[in-house]
Amino acid sequence: MTSQPLRLAEEYGPSPGESELAVNPFDGLPFSSRYYELLKQRQALPIWAARFTFLEQLESNPTGVVLVSGEPGSGKSTQIPQWCAEFALARGFQKGQVTVTQPYPLAARSLALRVADEMDLTLGHEVGYSIPQEDCTGPNTLLRFCWDRLLLQEVASTRGTGAWGVLVLDEAQERSVASDSLQGLLQDARLEKLPGDLRVVVVTDPALEPKLRAFWGNPPIVHIPREPGERPSPIYWDTIPPDRVEAACQAVLELCRKEVPGDVLVFLPSEEEISLCCESLSREVESLLLQGLPPRVLPLHPDCGQAVQAVYEDMDARKVVVTHWLADFSFSLPSIQHVIDSGLELRSVYNPRIRAEFQVLRPISKCQAEARRLRARGFPPGSCLCLYPKSFLELEAPPLPQPRVCEENLSSLVLLLKRRQIAEPGECHFLDQPAPEALMQALEDLDYLAALDDDGDLSDLGVILSEFPLAPELAKALLASCEFDCVDEMLTLAAMLTAAPGFTRPPISAEEAALRRALEHTDGDHSSLIQVYEAFIQKGKFYAARLGYFRGLKDFNEAWCQARAHKLRGELLELMQRIELPLSLPAFGSEQNRRDLQKALVSGYFLKVARDTDGTGNYLLLTHKHVAQLSSYCCYRSRRAPARPPPWVLYHNFTISKDNCLSIVSEIQPQMLVELAPPYFLSNLPPSESRDLLNQLREGMADSTAGSKSSSAQEFRDPCVLQ
């Protein structure tokens, strides 16, 4: 089937004053005056010169794959989706035919808002987005922006993939697990449900172009011209400052004192440092003697929620946006003229050998450094202050961002690949192949969770686990709650552990500390999370803000994570009802419910158990011989002396950092572990005193069971006893 690319309004010839004569082909309504205002901005983007080249390649390329290469800020993330929508409409595709993936949920929402505005359409109708706990689409949605991990979940699920006409994989240079996996699945032609006339568009930074070109077999490439404007010459520090936050704050204040025009973009390694920087700057800028309004300081990181749109608002005051790797390639901000770059990022890197995450502070890649510098280009160019020596990146920085598929726990990915009937996940094509030991550890964990059968394929339980947007061990605990009649409580806990997992800073006032203590549960952090959730539902988000549950945000978005947990709980409940799993009535607080909830948790988290070896809080992890301590935010740490730490605990996460801490911890009984964990798991534990104790318990329980059976048999044979 051949067709001509859809003509835009400006090709029909009306001027803005005659906009009532031009009709939007997507909704049949006349174009507004704002459409023409935004159209002029679109036509000024560097990518606009490549529009017809792109549409021709999309139409005529026999392989169906088009690679688009361009620098950040060239307009590719907003314009390519619109042109694909024009292409789909011109070919007469059915509704919902263009899906655009983004590596971050906030970027998907932000782009959907911008593109709907540029197309003069209503968000949620012809243009929509799908991110966790938020589906803003409708039956007539033609263009959908989607978090790439959510799309990968849809691909593997029985819910199917939908009828795609064009699939756009944006920001491929971010190297997210889902983006790399989707490319591998498409390359392997394993998505049988996809329509045969599918078009795939891969959008990337030029730095990754050679690797993608080789991976896809030399597809046609659309090169976006460089954005006009001079590039700033970076100013390097002689040494790395001992206090990055203080150095960044002083650099911002210096710009403000000189009253140099333009907004400022500050890159720091972590969300904690972003919060500290925002708090410090918000205090300092109020005391500056400026002619105009004091600068407005805005954080930009995943927990900002809908408040992220503030970075796009037109303001009379200067904006100082403080962010991290999230904004390396996403969130183009034309008003930025000054960049302050720490040159570092804090990332979680998973070690499969010990099933633990490392908090790694490392240099950014040369590709990221260049993308940050380009934020300040223009006529005249702005400034780029690098808080590190020039030799720092030249000697230590890799050329490209590290692929996340080599740094994350792959259990969820392997579960989804098994769902697609890929027998050996290692045979799936990836841009960079994961380490074999990471794949083996993922398979071993899934086997322990009974998600695999004897042939290594998904078991019936594994198929159900793959339906849930949860980590496999958490999904297993949720399913186990059906057996132990604590579904209501486990739904709450699953949502909280996924969307709002615990306190992340110490209390800042006596009131906040008292409120936290009031919600601490004697059974541990898991039950405390349930009480926090119930308090939020009963008393609202302002109570959650007083509680200090979130990461130091100063407005109503303090409760955003909590609201996400509420939405996720509803989604999980709906999914369980659709699968026809048994539910149970609320019984939180009863003695029976406490035991049942512990059993459900142990059923999923038996791989994450530790024992206090000396009674002082030094916990030896069962699966390896690492020693860890309880997190400083753990409820057991806040109890008054002489309370002793529990001898056996189940934990949600183990992070190797400066304090090697266990987070989200609850006490368990070792008898429960012996009862519920697979016997071969206990047999495979490394030699330790903990393993010996568990084996003794298992033998004692086996003898007790055998004695009970023998006694019952004797009673059955001896009628005198029965009398």
Side-chain angles (χ1 to χ4, degrees):
M1 175 181 178
T2 60
S3 60
Q4 296 298 320
L6 185 70
R7 295 190 297 168
L8 294 181
E10 76 277 8
E11 294 177 86
Y12 288 94
S15 64
E18 301 170 334
S19 60
E20 67 276 7
L21 301 180
V23 174
N24 191 325
F26 292 98
D27 63 3
L29 299 176
F31 284 111
S32 67
S33 58
R34 177 164 175 78
Y35 170 83
Y36 291 98
E37 294 174 7
L38 295 177
L39 182 60
K40 291 181 180 179
Q41 299 177 20
R42 296 170 60 194
Q43 291 172 331
L45 292 171
I47 195 174
W48 195 262
R51 176 176 178 260
F52 284 102
T53 301
F54 170 77
L55 287 172
E56 288 174 3
Q57 295 289 0
L58 194 64
E59 173 69 31
S60 60
N61 177 31
T63 66
V65 179
V66 178
L67 187 61
V68 179
S69 175
E71 294 177 341
S74 59
K76 55 187 186 297
S77 292
T78 56
Q79 303 311 303
I80 292 294
Q82 296 185 56
W83 299 343
C84 291
E86 298 164 17
F87 170 80
L89 187 64
R91 298 186 64 175
F93 287 172
Q94 298 177 357
K95 302 297 182 182
Q97 289 294 324
V98 180
T99 296
V100 184
T101 68
Q102 286 294 323
Y104 308 114
L106 287 185
R109 180 203 284 120
S110 179
L111 283 170
L113 287 166
R114 176 65 183 183
V115 168
D117 195 19
E118 290 186 358
M119 296 180 72
D120 210 15
L121 297 172
T122 303
L123 186 67
H125 292 269
E126 295 81 12
V127 179
Y129 63 88
S130 298
I131 60 177
Q133 294 84 61
E134 202 170 342
D135 184 19
C136 185
T137 60
N140 295 324
T141 299
L142 175 68
L143 175 58
R144 179 176 72 133
F145 291 83
C146 182
W147 185 36
D148 54 12
R149 188 163 297 191
L150 192 63
L151 184 66
L152 182 62
Q153 177 78 20
E154 292 178 7
V155 166
S157 170
T158 54
R159 293 188 293 274
T161 62
W164 299 336
V166 184
L167 176 60
V168 182
L169 303 174
D170 197 5
E171 308 292 8
Q173 75 282 345
E174 291 274 12
R175 303 305 306 276
S176 70
V177 171
S179 178
D180 280 12
S181 301
L182 285 167
Q183 292 188 68
L185 290 170
L186 290 167
Q187 176 75 325
D188 290 344
R190 294 188 181 272
L191 301 184
E192 297 88 352
K193 294 184 180 181
L194 292 178
D197 207 15
L198 171 70
R199 294 292 193 270
V200 177
V201 179
V202 183
V203 185
T204 183
D205 185 88
L208 192 63
E209 178 190 322
K211 194 177 190 73
L212 287 172
R213 185 172 64 245
F215 179 80
W216 285 102
N218 293 314
I221 302 175
V222 177
H223 291 100
I224 301 172
R226 284 191 170 188
E227 183 175 358
E230 298 179 24
R231 303 176 178 223
S233 298
I235 302 172
Y236 296 96
W237 278 33
D238 295 332
T239 59
I240 297 177
D243 188 338
R244 289 182 297 273
V245 174
E246 177 65 20
C249 289
Q250 292 304 317
V252 172
L253 294 174
E254 184 65 21
L255 286 171
C256 295
R257 292 189 188 99
K258 293 180 178 179
E259 300 202 28
V260 181
D263 294 340
V264 184
L265 186 61
V266 181
F267 287 95
L268 291 171
S270 67
E271 293 179 20
E272 180 181 3
E273 291 180 276
I274 291 173
S275 297
L276 291 173
C277 184
C278 289
E279 291 172 4
S280 177
L281 282 175
S282 297
R283 291 191 303 266
E284 296 288 343
V285 296
E286 294 296 334
S287 61
L288 293 177
L289 299 177
L290 303 175
Q291 293 183 358
L293 295 173
R296 183 169 177 191
V297 182
L298 301 170
L300 177 56
H301 56 73
D303 282 345
C304 289
Q306 296 183 1
V308 71
Q309 291 304 121
V311 302
Y312 291 107
E313 295 176 1
D314 293 329
M315 301 179 184
D316 294 332
R318 182 204 301 267
K319 286 183 289 189
V320 178
V321 181
V322 188
T323 185
H324 58 12
W325 40 261
L326 176 71
D328 282 339
F329 302 102
S330 303
F331 300 97
S332 294
L333 305 171
S335 62
I336 295 297
Q337 294 187 28
H338 308 282
V339 172
I340 300 170
D341 180 17
S342 68
L344 296 168
E345 63 179 6
L346 184 69
R347 290 282 195 168
S348 292
V349 178
Y350 185 75
N351 186 332
R353 293 182 179 178
I354 58 176
R355 294 182 173 89
E357 288 188 345
F358 289 76
Q359 293 294 312
V360 179
L361 182 65
R362 64 191 184 191
I364 60 174
S365 66
K366 293 181 175 67
C367 176
Q368 291 169 276
E370 178 66 10
R372 294 178 180 187
R373 182 170 72 94
L374 291 177
R375 298 293 189 132
R377 62 189 161 195
F379 293 112
S383 65
C384 178
L385 176 62
C386 301
L387 304 179
Y388 51 84
K390 186 176 182 180
S391 60
F392 175 69
L393 285 183
E394 292 177 349
L395 298 176
E396 301 187 38
L400 295 168
Q402 296 295 325
R404 298 301 296 165
V405 76
C406 298
E407 297 185 336
E408 291 189 8
N409 187 343
L410 300 183
S411 296
S412 296
L413 174 61
V414 171
L415 187 67
L416 295 181
L417 293 180
K418 287 287 186 180
R419 185 63 182 269
R420 295 305 307 179
Q421 298 181 347
I422 298 176
E424 295 295 335
E427 296 178 358
C428 181
H429 283 88
F430 292 97
L431 284 170
D432 287 276
Q433 200 70 16
E437 62 180 355
L439 293 172
M440 289 302 298
Q441 178 265 320
L443 288 169
E444 183 181 56
D445 287 359
L446 293 176
D447 187 43
Y448 282 141
L449 293 171
L452 305 179
D453 59 22
D454 293 340
D455 297 325
D457 299 323
L458 276 193
S459 63
D460 293 339
L461 177 64
V463 173
I464 298 176
L465 292 180
S466 69
E467 283 284 309
F468 287 90
L470 304 171
E473 63 271 18
L474 184 53
K476 175 67 180 294
L478 182 57
L479 290 183
S481 70
C482 299
E483 177 184 353
F484 298 117
D485 295 326
C486 55
V487 175
D488 186 81
E489 293 75 22
M490 198 63 220
L491 278 170
T492 299
L493 189 52
M496 289 292 286
L497 288 172
T498 303
F503 297 105
T504 58
R505 61 170 177 80
I508 59 176
S509 66
E511 178 195 20
E512 187 178 309
L515 288 171
R516 290 191 186 186
R517 283 196 298 270
L519 290 179
E520 288 177 356
H521 197 282
T522 55
D523 286 345
D525 293 335
H526 292 85
S527 294
S528 297
L529 283 178
I530 297 177
Q531 294 201 139
V532 169
Y533 177 85
E534 294 296 337
F536 172 79
I537 295 301
Q538 294 172 13
K539 301 183 181 181
K541 59 190 177 185
F542 295 106
Y543 180 83
R546 290 172 61 206
L547 187 64
Y549 189 77
F550 308 101
R551 302 191 179 188
L553 300 178
K554 296 301 181 184
D555 55 16
F556 65 90
N557 287 288
E558 287 178 300
W560 183 66
C561 290
Q562 196 79 31
R564 284 177 55 205
H566 182 59
K567 291 181 180 179
L568 177 56
R569 189 187 188 281
E571 290 181 7
L572 294 174
L573 176 59
E574 182 181 348
L575 180 56
M576 294 188 73
Q577 291 172 333
R578 184 174 63 82
I579 304 177
E580 300 182 355
L581 294 172
L583 305 177
S584 59
L585 295 175
F588 183 65
S590 69
E591 190 63 31
Q592 182 63 44
N593 182 263
R594 293 172 64 186
R595 289 194 299 270
D596 291 339
L597 188 58
Q598 285 183 350
K599 289 181 179 180
L601 283 170
V602 171
S603 298
Y605 282 88
F606 54 84
L607 283 163
K608 297 184 176 182
V609 172
R611 172 176 168 264
D612 185 4
T613 57
D614 54 12
T616 63
N618 290 315
Y619 285 91
L620 184 70
L621 278 62
L622 283 188
T623 53
H624 47 82
K625 295 185 177 181
H626 269 72
V627 176
Q629 286 73 41
L630 300 181
S631 165
S632 57
Y633 310 120
C634 175
C635 67
Y636 296 114
R637 292 282 295 270
S638 63
R639 294 177 182 174
R640 294 183 176 88
R644 294 185 60 186
W648 291 80
V649 296
L650 172 148
Y651 59 91
H652 178 64
N653 199 25
F654 170 43
T655 302
I656 295 182
S657 56
K658 58 184 178 182
D659 52 359
N660 288 4
C661 63
L662 305 176
S663 58
I664 316 295
V665 172
S666 292
E667 182 176 7
I668 64 166
Q669 300 302 317
Q671 294 87 347
M672 196 175 290
L673 179 64
V674 172
E675 176 187 352
L676 297 171
Y680 56 92
F681 164 72
L682 299 177
S683 302
N684 291 339
L685 289 174
S688 67
E689 184 182 358
S690 301
R691 189 184 76 165
D692 295 340
L693 290 172
L694 291 174
N695 284 330
Q696 291 174 13
L697 276 175
R698 181 168 62 175
E699 292 170 2
M701 293 171 65
D703 292 342
S704 175
T705 302
S708 175
K709 291 182 178 179
S710 175
S711 175
S712 299
Q714 180 64 29
E715 290 176 359
F716 182 76
R717 291 192 297 268
D718 190 345
C720 296
V721 175
L722 289 176
Q723 292 176 358

